[in-house]
Amino acid sequence: MVERLVPDELWELFQRVVPPAPTRPQGGGRRRHGDREVLAAIVFVATSGCTWAQLPPCFGPSGPTAHRRFAEWTAARVWAKLYRLVLDELGARGELDRSRCAVDSVNMRATKKGDLTGPNPVDRGKFGSKIHLLTERTGLPLSLAISGANLHDSQALIPLVEAIPPIRSRRGPRRRRPGKLHGDKAYDHRFIRSYLRRRQIVPRIARRGIESSTRLGRHRWVIERTVAWLGGFRRLHRRYERKGAHFAAFATIAAALICHRRITK
């Protein structure tokens, strides 16, 4: 189970970002569970959607132990570093095509009111969160962000573009700027088009009242597929975490695993 959830390629990348285990100056104490077993337990929770208390004992660490390590690694930004390493590996292999990118978002209901939640205007005002995604041409996520469900999509586009890391290329320097950016009518605002042109990014955004919505899917279907890939991580179907950083960590884990699948194909 551990080797299936955390293959050797992923484990080698994770070892480069995980912080060293803390030491006890006085000695003694219980033996610390291995990082690979704990990582497999966290991946299992992210994919199956089970609670920490329902974690099967076959992994070794208990639910509270896995959650405690998850919180420690989240505070140390381990998931963001792992995601960045996976993107660099894909870029070095020439698997990322930034000539045509797409942006979209997906809503989910929150079971608890906490950080980065808000009343969803399309779900009877129920509190929820929103995952904003920016993908490259084949649907691999390049950046993501979490906000309350009441944040308009147009307000998240500029932070998403700014959050694209400088990714390695097969030849030449690191790159971070998309060639074209596709979006639906929610992003049809003058300040967005001006910003993209200043960044030398060609906007391909549907115009409200002019263009038909039936043609939006010619190049944007890839991001809809990415949203479906995120649906495979059942921990993202509902937001159970009160802390926004923990929910963002699960979304980052999902994005890193989606990108890592391309490496192991």
Side-chain angles (χ1 to χ4, degrees):
M1 178 71 77
V2 174
E3 287 74 13
R4 183 176 64 86
L5 293 175
V6 184
D8 293 338
E9 298 86 355
L10 180 62
W11 173 238
E12 291 175 3
L13 293 175
F14 186 77
Q15 285 180 301
R16 296 166 56 182
V17 298
V18 64
T23 59
R24 295 171 57 90
Q26 70 274 22
R30 300 178 63 180
R31 183 178 65 86
R32 180 181 174 93
H33 286 283
D35 289 339
R36 189 169 186 174
E37 289 75 15
V38 177
L39 177 60
I42 294 173
V43 172
F44 181 82
V45 171
T47 54
S48 68
C50 71
T51 64
W52 296 104
Q54 295 172 331
L55 188 66
C58 62
F59 292 102
S62 63
T65 299
H67 179 264
R68 189 181 312 113
R69 197 83 60 89
F70 168 79
E72 293 175 3
W73 288 344
T74 299
R77 295 184 53 82
V78 169
W79 314 118
K81 296 175 184 177
L82 177 64
Y83 181 31
R84 175 74 175 273
L85 277 182
V86 174
L87 288 177
D88 276 344
E89 186 67 23
L90 286 171
R93 298 186 181 193
E95 295 285 347
L96 296 179
D97 187 354
R98 283 154 290 198
S99 63
R100 191 187 301 274
C101 297
V103 62
D104 207 349
S105 65
V106 58
N107 290 298
M108 66 287 303
R109 187 178 294 183
T111 59
K112 302 174 183 178
K113 183 178 178 181
D115 301 335
L116 302 178
T117 61
N120 192 339
V122 298
D123 190 16
R124 299 172 296 171
K126 299 290 185 179
F127 271 86
S129 294
K130 184 182 290 188
I131 299 179
H132 304 269
L133 278 173
L134 191 149
T135 64
E136 48 90 58
R137 188 170 193 147
T138 63
L140 295 179
L142 295 180
S143 66
L144 59 86
I146 308 297
S147 72
N150 57 335
L151 183 73
H152 196 270
D153 289 350
S154 61
Q155 301 297 319
L157 186 140
I158 294 179
L160 272 180
V161 176
E162 296 290 339
I164 299 176
I167 304 171
R168 291 174 57 188
S169 301
R170 177 177 289 181
R171 291 180 296 271
R174 292 176 176 268
R175 293 184 53 196
R176 63 184 304 172
R177 179 173 56 84
K180 300 177 183 178
L181 186 61
H182 290 262
D184 57 21
K185 297 180 182 181
Y187 303 95
D188 183 24
H189 293 274
R190 184 178 301 175
F191 75 94
I192 288 180
R193 296 181 183 273
S194 299
Y195 165 79
L196 294 177
R197 292 191 180 100
R198 288 197 306 269
R199 292 289 308 273
Q200 299 180 355
I201 302 173
V202 180
R204 289 289 186 262
I205 300 173
R207 293 170 292 181
R208 289 172 291 179
I210 299 177
E211 296 179 85
S212 173
S213 299
T214 58
R215 299 182 61 189
L216 293 179
R218 286 193 304 168
H219 301 291
R220 291 185 59 257
W221 66 270
V222 292
I223 195 168
E224 302 295 343
R225 183 182 62 179
T226 306
V227 171
W229 288 344
L230 286 178
F233 296 86
R234 302 188 64 85
R235 190 73 181 193
L236 300 179
H237 284 197
R238 289 286 188 273
R239 174 176 166 175
Y240 301 99
E241 289 73 29
R242 190 180 299 275
K243 295 183 178 180
H246 288 184
F247 183 72
F250 276 119
T252 305
I253 291 172
L257 294 179
I258 289 172
C259 292
H260 187 264
R261 292 172 187 168
R262 185 69 57 87
I263 298 177
T264 56
K265 282 182 62 176

